Amino acid sequence: MLAPLQGALREVKADEAELWVHRRRSAITRYAKNEIHQNAVADETCVQARVVIGKAVGIASANSLEPADLRRLVADALAAARASAPNADWPGFAEPAPMSEPKAYDAETARADARSQADAVKRITATAKERGFRAAGTHQIELTEDALANTNGAAAYAPSTMAYLRALVASDTGTGWAEDLGWSARSLDPSDVAARAIEKAALDRDRTQLAPGDYEAVFEELAVAEVLRFMALTGLTGQTLKDGRSFMKDKFGQPVTGPRFSLWDDALDARTLAIPFDPEGTPKQRIALVEGGVAKGVVHDRQSARWFDTRSTGHADDPRRSSVGGHAGNLTMAGGDAKREQLIGATQRGVLITRFHYTNTPDPKRATMTGTTRDGTFLIEGGRITRALANVRYTMSALDLFSGLELLGPQRLARDWWSSNGMGRVVCLCPPIKVARATITGSSPL
Amino acid sequence: MPKRDAQLTDLVDLGARRGAAYADARRVEREYEAISVRDGEVESVTRSGDRGIGFRVLHRGAWGFAATDRTDDMSLRSVVDEAFARAEAAASTRAAPVALAPVAPQRGEYRTTLVRDPFTVPPAERITLLRAADANLKGPHAVSRRGSVAAYRTRKHLVTSEGTDVRQEIVESGAGLSVTAVMAGAKPAQRYDSRLVRQAGWEFIEQLDLVRRAARYRDDAEAMLDAPLAAERPTTLVFAPEFLALLVHESCGHPTEADRVLEHEVAFAGTTFMWPQDRGRLRYGSEHVSMTADATVPGGMGTFGWDDDGVPAMRTKLIDRGTFVGYLTSRETAAALDVPVAIGSARAEGWQHFPIVRMVNVSLDPGTQRYDALLRGVDDGLLLEAPASYSLDDKRQNFHFSTQSARVIRNGALEGYARGVSFQSLTPAFWGRCDGVADDWELHGFLSCAKGEPLQLMRVGHGAAHARFRDVPIEVRG
């Protein structure tokens, strides 16, 4: 894939030029009420050219790698650069640098076909039907290829795969959720996903409403990933720091959460979904964000590194979806060895949260998140689950939540609601946790 | 009569010959051009485009869909094979075949009516406008300013095995402004608008008066920095049309999508609290609240000639004087719910996407009183102009909104600002508190309503007027 890019760059008449390609083959099987209702595959290419004249930048994108189309694309970017004005803070393109080998790729997963996806779904729906339940969800396989070349001589290519299986099991009284995520289809276990979702759906009956207030809580991995996403977006990038919106501003070296909380960004961890370089061609680095509750660092792309007179940490975001300033997309939160029953057992009176829906942040400076729970919200009393709860609205600062960390379980690959549905780009390795206090501000009807 | 597209026709013919009960092929080409100015400097000049073909078959009672951006013969043959393979795999799980509500074959062309093609406006003219607006975004505490203008063009050609052959060319123009003000000891204040978009030419950008609007945003952001906290108690809220556009979108548009009723979206977007047995009975709001889905509104971001099922643009009532009466449907969901096709809402973001039920232009119908009369009816309350954070549950029944800026209403007049305001409510309880809608109806547009897997970002339109809500409990956070 690099050859056509490098060929096109040889002909560019500009001070600097860069071509970045993202190709995706996405095969997605969606099911509801135990039937597949959408079954789609799409091959798509995005190629973006950035061309610089002086310090004026022009950007153009298209979806063809044919030489004539690439020439046209570069010409469009050149025209855009001529129409643009110099950026005094222009950091220049990346220089060649050593790269790690891509780890998140599995050739067998890349070859998965429609029948294998349907077979996985049928294992879930068959089990659900036996129990008189309805199953819905998604089986998704993605093969992506990223490549970058620029006129400084930087060149990088990495394939990656993603396999995702999720199940929402519904009875007439409630719902339960489970999912598996990995870079290999072998990491998906349809029977286990079905069993976990069915167990929760079966428990979700005779719901009661929880009064607003502060409660002890057990957050499962998906719920933790939701909170981490808001920390990343509101406070862990050079852009938020520059704007004064980050909770990290003027806090480096000081506690921002309790001492049990540590968080870093590490795209090089072999367990996560990532490639070893960012869309600017900078190798990704492991960056400590919070260590033992103390603020340590934020991530940078080349532009935000320039603002702070430092080096890019390899955290440029997908340019199709965001502007410059850095993006922490591979979060790892320190875990522990507490088992699920220990987290529940340590809770005298509290709430178990499986996951959230459509969260947002009414107070970004405090990384405050609000959102309703779904598909498995339970009351814990005396160390055991006693009642199903109507979905609750949770509203609380992530910093306050993680100040009350008491127990942590083992890490698992998980994505927040936004990222698992294509609206965000954060992947977490995070544990289930037990916290001393979570603020519930309302309840949905029974 | 649209010019024949041999590739699309051949694909559909091949689908029919291989036994599909229905087949359609859709060619889509998209262009986008944007200029962004940040803190007075040109941040980026961007041009993008993509093109490809999506092919959909209904075979053995199930859908299969495949799409490609490579349009050579070998790639297109592969697309046909893959669509059939996916339909066959899906069919192995179906208890009953997918049915489509009948629609007569359509032929014709649709084009956006515009005065000045936004792609022809010289970049220098666009940059001059953005720099003038940026100058007005500057304030003593404004640390971050951004302005942008954008132009969008979509050319779409749909051919179906039922004889539909329609072409559309849709042009949209948009702008965005944002300012962040920061002051020691105060929470940062942001004022922004990313929804200034219309199916129209450059004349829409001129109507926006970005320069004057920028000054208003600056003033709002500066004022919010040291505004007093609002009092936490139930109060009268008046919402500006911009704010209500989002409330209509989230609390009426989404829960009336018929695919949510069928649980097609349960694992992602969720379901609804508005079920078929509730039609004509469920009290959604007060008698002042009527809402309409209309794909024919001039300039609407949800306006078109035909949806991606080939259904011509229509108009239908969703809420009638407070009562839930209708759904947004596709041919598949209309058949499944056994209702006539009262509105065509099957839409795909691009060539690579499967059409699903989406909003068109879903609007709060205007009232009859003037805005100043509505305001005079408020002794003590707040005017909420633009939403900030928003969060909703999976049934669209429980929501939480915060606001970028809140103006104090005292004795029917605006005076000063209040900060920290947010509110949560159940949807029918909220709309039930509406005791007046003004006649100053205006149209807003969203570029990126998110739904579907893989994610599809859809353009939708929403009209609203100022409206008044009594005794709304608010939350206040410092």
Side-chain angles (χ1 to χ4, degrees):
Chain A
M1 192 185 284
L2 282 169
L5 306 186
Q6 290 166 325
L9 288 172
R10 276 194 287 275
E11 301 173 15
V12 178
K13 293 181 173 55
D15 295 330
E16 292 180 276
E18 172 198 86
L19 286 164
W20 171 75
V21 179
H22 179 78
R23 288 179 91 157
R24 178 174 81 158
R25 176 177 171 80
S26 171
I28 193 156
T29 301
R30 304 183 79 192
Y31 61 105
K33 293 186 175 176
N34 299 327
E35 295 181 322
I36 294 172
H37 63 95
Q38 286 170 31
N39 209 3
V41 61
D43 284 300
E44 51 188 317
T45 303
C46 172
V47 52
Q48 176 185 274
R50 291 201 293 173
V51 172
V52 183
I53 303 173
K55 289 187 172 185
V57 184
I59 304 172
S61 69
N63 68 336
S64 167
L65 290 172
E66 293 298 318
D69 292 329
L70 286 178
R71 277 196 294 275
R72 195 175 307 122
L73 176 67
V74 169
D76 277 351
L78 204 55
R82 289 194 182 107
S84 186
N87 171 1
D89 281 336
W90 173 244
F93 289 136
E95 296 291 335
M99 297 282 173
S100 303
E101 286 297 312
K103 299 184 179 81
Y105 174 74
D106 178 61
E108 186 182 326
T109 300
R111 291 192 297 269
D113 62 11
R115 180 171 298 185
S116 68
Q117 290 185 274
D119 286 346
V121 167
K122 282 191 272 192
R123 286 170 66 183
I124 293 173
T125 57
T127 315
K129 274 194 268 192
E130 282 171 15
R131 295 287 301 270
F133 293 157
R134 308 186 302 281
T138 308
H139 187 292
Q140 187 175 10
I141 297 288
E142 277 192 9
L143 164 65
T144 57
E145 295 175 278
D146 287 77
L148 176 127
N150 68 29
T151 49
N152 291 340
Y157 167 82
S160 62
T161 47
M162 189 270 283
Y164 182 45
L165 177 64
R166 62 187 186 186
L168 182 151
V169 171
S171 69
D172 291 338
T173 60
T175 56
W177 180 275
E179 64 175 56
D180 276 346
L181 172 67
W183 48 261
S184 163
R186 288 186 298 277
S187 63
L188 310 183
D189 184 341
S191 299
D192 185 58
V193 167
R196 285 186 279 135
I198 285 171
E199 181 187 0
K200 281 199 168 151
L203 270 177
D204 191 3
R205 60 180 188 274
D206 303 325
R207 288 180 177 185
T208 188
Q209 287 183 298
L210 192 65
D214 286 345
Y215 295 87
E216 293 177 81
V218 173
F219 280 46
E220 294 192 349
E221 297 90 331
L222 295 174
V224 173
E226 201 81 32
V227 179
L228 293 178
R229 172 179 187 265
F230 283 100
M231 287 188 80
L233 295 187
T234 62
L236 298 177
T237 68
Q239 178 72 66
T240 57
L241 201 60
K242 175 175 180 279
D243 289 349
R245 293 182 280 127
S246 168
F247 61 86
M248 303 282 268
K249 186 172 170 55
D250 302 326
K251 293 285 187 185
F252 291 107
Q254 300 175 38
V256 289
T257 68
R260 290 190 175 92
F261 181 73
S262 291
L263 183 70
W264 55 94
D265 189 280
D266 188 5
L268 304 178
D269 189 314
R271 297 171 293 174
T272 196
L273 307 176
I275 59 170
F277 57 91
D278 73 5
E280 294 181 327
T282 305
K284 292 181 177 174
Q285 295 176 33
R286 181 188 191 278
I287 299 297
L289 303 165
V290 179
E291 274 183 0
V294 174
K296 286 294 181 185
V298 297
V299 301
H300 294 288
D301 60 10
R302 293 185 64 77
Q303 183 66 77
S304 75
R306 177 65 173 243
W307 293 331
F308 288 91
D309 196 22
T310 184
R311 296 172 68 86
S312 169
T313 56
H315 288 86
D317 196 7
D318 183 333
R320 297 168 299 171
R321 292 290 176 88
S322 74
S323 55
V324 297
H327 178 69
N330 287 99
L331 298 173
T332 304
M333 176 178 164
D337 56 8
K339 294 185 166 48
R340 186 169 185 270
E341 50 269 31
Q342 291 175 293
L343 304 178
I344 295 169
T347 306
Q348 283 310 302
R349 181 172 161 77
V351 57
L352 183 144
I353 297 173
T354 297
R355 69 182 195 121
F356 288 102
H357 181 89
Y358 208 145
T359 48
N360 216 318
T361 175
D363 184 358
K365 189 69 192 277
R366 290 283 301 157
T368 296
M369 185 189 98
T370 187
T372 49
T373 61
R374 63 178 293 190
D375 308 324
T377 307
F378 299 102
L379 181 67
I380 304 170
E381 293 173 298
R384 63 187 188 87
I385 291 174
T386 54
R387 290 294 298 268
L389 292 172
N391 293 330
V392 296
R393 178 167 290 283
Y394 157 91
T395 307
M396 190 174 185
S397 159
L399 309 179
D400 294 339
L401 183 80
F402 292 133
S403 291
L405 265 182
E406 292 182 341
L407 289 171
L408 301 97
Q411 297 160 324
R412 181 184 176 93
L413 206 55
R415 294 181 297 179
D416 60 273
W417 179 80
W418 297 88
S419 298
S420 67
N421 291 305
M423 297 174 288
R425 295 165 304 288
V426 179
V427 180
C428 296
L429 275 163
C430 60
I433 59 174
K434 193 266 169 174
V435 294
R437 183 173 70 89
T439 301
I440 303 303
T441 55
S443 172
S444 290
L446 290 171
Chain B
M1 180 70 69
K3 188 178 160 194
R4 184 173 183 273
D5 184 318
Q7 279 188 320
L8 299 186
T9 307
D10 289 351
L11 281 170
V12 168
D13 289 347
L14 184 55
R17 284 201 304 276
R18 286 181 58 166
Y22 170 88
D24 65 33
R26 183 166 35 88
R27 184 192 299 279
V28 182
E29 298 177 16
R30 297 185 290 186
E31 288 176 77
Y32 164 72
E33 203 169 280
I35 297 178
S36 168
V37 165
R38 186 188 187 94
D39 299 335
E41 300 295 328
V42 174
E43 181 181 45
S44 64
V45 176
T46 304
R47 295 174 175 179
S48 70
D50 78 346
R51 59 181 188 267
I53 291 176
F55 178 64
R56 185 170 67 151
V57 291
L58 190 52
H59 179 57
R60 296 187 185 168
W63 286 116
F65 177 80
T68 183
D69 52 16
R70 287 158 245 179
T71 50
D72 57 280
D73 287 347
M74 186 180 294
S75 296
L76 292 179
R77 277 197 299 274
S78 170
V79 156
V80 173
D81 291 342
E82 295 206 84
F84 273 90
R86 300 201 80 81
E88 285 168 8
S92 67
T93 69
R94 304 267 334 170
V98 171
L100 301 179
V103 170
Q106 303 288 309
R107 292 196 165 238
E109 294 187 357
Y110 168 86
R111 281 175 187 270
T112 301
T113 301
L114 51 86
V115 177
R116 188 181 183 194
D117 187 333
F119 287 89
T120 66
V121 177
E125 184 179 339
R126 297 184 238 182
I127 291 169
T128 299
L129 172 64
L130 290 172
R131 284 196 160 134
D134 180 82
N136 271 2
L137 285 176
K138 279 185 189 167
H141 303 98
V143 295
S144 177
R145 313 180 305 275
R146 177 180 266 160
S148 62
V149 290
Y152 311 83
R153 189 192 321 274
T154 303
R155 294 188 177 94
K156 191 188 301 190
H157 190 172
L158 174 71
V159 175
T160 80
S161 57
E162 295 177 341
T164 286
D165 189 333
V166 292
R167 278 182 194 261
Q168 308 188 65
E169 180 172 333
I170 291 173
V171 175
E172 294 143 338
S173 297
L177 293 174
S178 73
V179 57
T180 302
V182 174
M183 185 173 72
K187 283 205 168 160
Q190 275 189 293
R191 187 73 168 91
Y192 53 88
D193 193 333
S194 54
R195 301 185 180 90
L196 304 171
V197 64
R198 187 74 57 86
Q199 191 181 128
W202 182 255
E203 62 278 6
F204 171 66
I205 305 299
E206 292 173 338
Q207 288 164 16
L208 288 172
D209 196 349
L210 293 179
V211 176
R212 180 180 293 185
R213 186 180 291 263
R216 183 158 60 84
Y217 285 11
R218 172 203 64 210
D219 291 345
D220 285 348
E222 294 280 350
M224 291 298 288
L225 282 173
D226 57 2
L229 281 176
E232 188 163 272
R233 56 183 164 78
T235 191
T236 298
L237 296 181
V238 174
F239 288 89
E242 178 185 342
F243 204 129
L244 280 179
L246 183 63
L247 273 161
V248 169
H249 175 94
E250 300 289 7
S251 69
C252 176
H254 279 305
T256 53
E257 292 163 342
D259 54 348
R260 298 172 77 108
V261 177
L262 298 172
E263 298 187 359
H264 286 184
E265 290 290 334
V266 62
F268 167 20
T271 57
T272 181
F273 67 97
M274 301 160 80
W275 299 102
Q277 64 271 24
D278 299 327
R279 287 180 74 201
R281 291 210 287 262
L282 175 73
R283 200 70 199 158
Y284 177 91
S286 74
E287 72 274 16
H288 300 280
V289 177
S290 291
M291 298 190 193
T292 302
D294 187 351
T296 71
V297 181
M301 292 296 285
T303 297
F304 47 70
W306 298 268
D307 76 354
D308 292 325
D309 275 347
V311 175
M314 296 182 189
R315 176 176 205 272
T316 194
K317 196 70 88 181
L318 303 176
I319 309 294
D320 188 10
R321 287 163 292 170
T323 302
F324 160 53
V325 293
Y327 284 120
L328 297 158
T329 54
S330 61
R331 292 181 64 188
E332 177 187 0
T333 56
L337 295 176
D338 195 22
V339 297
V341 177
I343 187 99
S345 310
R347 305 177 70 194
E349 179 195 335
W351 52 268
Q352 60 274 68
H353 299 112
F354 185 94
I356 58 176
V357 176
R358 306 306 299 252
M359 282 172 244
V360 287
N361 305 295
V362 175
S363 302
L364 176 66
D365 293 355
T368 53
Q369 61 182 315
R370 288 167 51 96
Y371 169 49
D372 53 3
L374 197 77
L375 216 52
R376 277 199 300 275
V378 183
D379 295 332
D380 183 9
L382 296 167
L383 169 68
L384 307 189
E385 294 183 304
S389 155
Y390 45 99
S391 162
L392 299 102
D393 75 347
D394 55 314
K395 291 184 164 46
R396 301 288 160 155
Q397 195 174 14
N398 175 333
F399 60 70
H400 181 281
F401 281 75
S402 65
T403 182
Q404 294 176 39
S405 70
R407 304 289 304 275
V408 175
I409 310 170
R410 199 96 65 204
N411 300 321
L414 297 177
E415 55 170 58
Y417 291 78
R419 67 183 169 88
V421 178
S422 60
F423 60 99
Q424 61 174 309
S425 185
L426 300 181
T427 299
F430 174 79
W431 288 105
R433 295 179 190 279
C434 179
D435 80 336
V437 180
D439 61 0
D440 57 348
W441 192 92
E442 61 185 41
L443 193 57
H444 289 262
F446 297 175
L447 281 167
S448 53
C449 171
K451 191 178 168 188
E453 298 172 276
L455 187 71
Q456 301 190 42
L457 300 177
M458 185 54 62
R459 288 123 155 83
V460 296
H462 299 287
H466 282 90
R468 189 175 61 206
F469 295 73
R470 299 290 191 187
D471 298 319
V472 181
I474 63 167
E475 300 168 2
V476 176
R477 290 174 184 274

